[in-house]
Amino acid sequence: MSVKKISILGSTGSIGTSTLSICESHPDQFRPVALAAGSNLEVAFEQCVRWRPQVVSISTEALADQLSARLKTAGVSGIEVLHGTAGTVRVATLPDADFVVSAIVGVAGLEATYAAVLAGKTIGLANKECLVAAGDLILEAARIHGVALLPIDSEHNAIHQCLRGGAANEVKQIWLTASGGPFRNTPLAEFEHITPQQALKHPTWVMGQRITIDSATMLNKGLEIIEACRLFNLPPEKVKVTVHPQSTIHSLVEYIDGSILAQISVTDMRLPILYAMAYPERLPSDLTFDMAALSQLDFQQPDFERFPCLRLAYEAAGASQAHCIALNAADEIAVAAFLRGELPFLGIPRTIERVLSLTSSASPASIQEVLTADRHAREQAHEAIRTAAAVVA
Ligand code: NAD
Ligand code: MG
């Protein structure tokens, strides 16, 4: 395999740094050529010094000026420093890049991911919010441009691997595994008082803040249900969830003859990232699973009463694209308010439910329409949070 040149959207985040660690361990296979970061100037600077990409993008013009100045002082030249959406789009479409890792968190990554598809890049997709908000548009563009969308989200990566065991029309249904998060056994009566500090402690995965809170509410699994419907062209009723606290089986595909294929590996995102970047080949790695240490695999039915976000996601998936956009946008606003201490834990599903109830069925026909619907849902979420705070006060 010749060296694949990699663009990373969200290079300073949890998935972004894991991607760079794969580049570090497989220097003959992968080389980063473009990086897009949010506001973490220090890490972006260090990544530029280490990897000397052709292009780096950072969120604002002020940060881009600071980054340019620091690179100049450090004697690092030849890196184009950009900012904002134009910068992330340039990183996503760099002519020299063979493969784009989409790992900006939230709808902020949508335009760049869509631009990468239009530019015909092979994509390793971590950013699930893109598919939730604009899955139909992205999949349609990928089909037209002959682009492969390789899932990095561990469950969808597992499904992608298990689907190599049979034909699409032989699939009966798929099973997404869920760790259940830190509150799997917490009584419902205690949910109202859950603090951000408690919710940020995930039992099996180390991840960015939003996805960690989403795992605690199980909205993450809800987003993954919609992501799976889009990626694998399945109706919501064929995407099931099973709670599997050990996170050893990453997901399963059930075939019409009764066979169920599962994917087992270490709980380390570097493996799905490596799989996506190497696809259709497999590369050796040291991410070995210790079969001798495997003692127990537990499974439980998800509890829709304690985790209403799961129900809300199924409802949005069955309703319309506008409802999926609203689900994601309302959650993003509610999670940020919860982290600031302005909303109780159960305020997250309450905010989502309120915004969904205000949403009319629609199918946006362009990314701009998706972004407009997204902005509208965010405003409604802010309003719902303000009203709830006023009622409590
Ligand atoms: P993170 O918060 O650790 O990193 C997010 C990255 O996006 C950072 O580099 C940040 O600087 C960048 N960013 C944020 N806003 C930006 C903006 N406006 N413009 C440009 N860059 C911006 O998040 P993460 O855990 O790495 O997750 C990234 C995505 O991958 C999310 O969509 C998440 O759902 C998905 N995902 C993550 C994991 C995981 O294990 N971390 C697993 C599955 C899926
Ligand atoms: Mg996942």
Side-chain angles (χ1 to χ4, degrees):
M1 188 165 112
S2 60
V3 179
K4 270 191 197 171
K5 294 180 197 144
I6 315 288
S7 282
I8 307 175
L9 299 167
S11 66
T12 56
S14 166
I15 295 290
T17 50
S18 292
T19 305
L20 287 169
S21 112
I22 296 286
C23 296
E24 198 79 67
S25 59
H26 294 76
D28 296 338
Q29 279 85 27
F30 308 115
R31 188 165 75 237
V33 291
L35 307 174
S39 48
N40 194 334
L41 179 69
E42 196 55 42
V43 177
F45 170 73
E46 283 162 18
Q47 292 180 346
C48 285
V49 172
R50 166 65 187 89
W51 294 103
R52 308 287 168 122
Q54 294 175 31
V55 181
V56 64
S57 175
I58 196 150
S59 59
T60 64
E61 189 169 7
L63 284 170
D65 290 344
Q66 288 180 47
L67 183 56
S68 295
R70 292 228 12 216
L71 289 170
K72 198 170 172 206
T73 309
V76 177
S77 59
I79 302 178
E80 192 182 352
V81 181
L82 302 170
H83 67 271
T85 304
T88 55
V89 167
R90 169 87 175 131
V91 168
T93 57
L94 191 77
D96 215 21
D98 305 305
F99 190 98
V100 176
V101 173
S102 168
I104 289 176
V105 59
V107 164
L110 177 57
E111 280 166 288
T113 305
Y114 191 67
V117 174
L118 297 186
K121 306 293 186 192
T122 305
I123 294 174
L125 194 68
N127 178 322
K128 63 192 81 184
E129 299 90 345
C130 279
L131 284 190
V132 172
D136 291 351
L137 294 171
I138 292 176
L139 267 293
E140 174 68 2
R143 198 184 53 75
I144 291 170
H145 293 270
V147 162
L149 284 175
L150 298 159
I152 286 177
D153 206 349
S154 58
E155 296 77 2
H156 306 74
N157 188 272
I159 301 286
H160 190 275
Q161 300 201 36
C162 296
L163 284 175
R164 292 166 88 173
N169 63 1
E170 294 166 348
V171 174
K172 183 175 177 201
Q173 55 192 359
I174 64 174
W175 291 89
L176 302 179
T177 52
S179 71
F183 309 123
R184 186 170 55 86
N185 296 319
T186 306
L188 182 56
E190 290 170 28
F191 269 50
E192 197 64 40
H193 306 292
I194 288 170
T195 65
Q197 205 185 7
Q198 292 169 319
L200 283 170
K201 281 202 194 101
H202 194 275
T204 50
W205 294 100
V206 179
M207 310 176 285
Q209 283 204 335
R210 176 176 177 202
I211 183 172
T212 304
I213 301 300
D214 283 349
S215 299
T217 61
M218 291 195 76
L219 193 270
N220 180 52
K221 209 49 55 183
L223 297 178
E224 290 182 355
I225 292 164
I226 301 169
E227 182 185 10
C229 291
R230 301 294 179 263
L231 272 175
F232 307 119
N233 195 23
L234 293 169
E237 55 277 14
K238 289 193 173 185
V239 180
K240 300 284 201 289
V241 173
T242 178
V243 176
H244 167 46
Q246 291 89 4
S247 300
T248 298
I249 292 181
H250 295 295
S251 279
L252 315 94
V253 174
E254 182 174 345
Y255 286 96
I256 46 176
D257 64 357
S259 290
I260 298 181
L261 300 195
Q263 189 261 345
I264 292 181
S265 57
V266 285
T267 315
D268 187 324
M269 289 306 293
R270 285 178 301 168
L271 189 48
I273 295 169
L274 175 66
Y275 171 87
M277 296 211 301
Y279 184 83
E281 295 175 32
R282 285 188 189 266
L283 292 176
S285 87
D286 57 4
L287 299 164
T288 40
F289 182 83
D290 184 3
M291 277 305 280
L294 177 59
S295 60
Q296 214 178 326
L297 297 173
D298 295 319
F299 298 94
Q300 297 162 1
Q301 291 292 325
D303 183 338
F304 286 82
E305 201 195 333
R306 283 186 310 137
F307 297 101
C309 284
L310 266 184
R311 169 180 57 81
L312 293 170
Y314 272 116
E315 285 172 10
S320 80
Q321 191 53 43
H323 289 82
C324 297
I325 295 170
L327 176 88
N328 176 59
D331 176 66
E332 199 167 316
I333 297 302
V335 166
F338 169 67
L339 287 172
R340 289 194 304 269
E342 293 167 10
L343 190 70
F345 188 73
L346 287 178
I348 299 173
R350 281 198 287 265
T351 304
I352 298 172
E353 183 135 37
R354 171 80 185 135
V355 175
L356 285 179
S357 75
L358 298 171
T359 304
S360 314
S361 294
S363 295
S366 69
I367 295 295
Q368 285 320 315
E369 283 185 29
V370 169
L371 293 173
T372 303
D374 174 75
R375 271 194 298 275
H376 186 57
R378 276 162 205 273
E379 282 160 20
Q380 289 177 325
H382 279 301
E383 182 57 30
I385 291 168
R386 273 195 296 272
T387 313
V391 170
V392 173

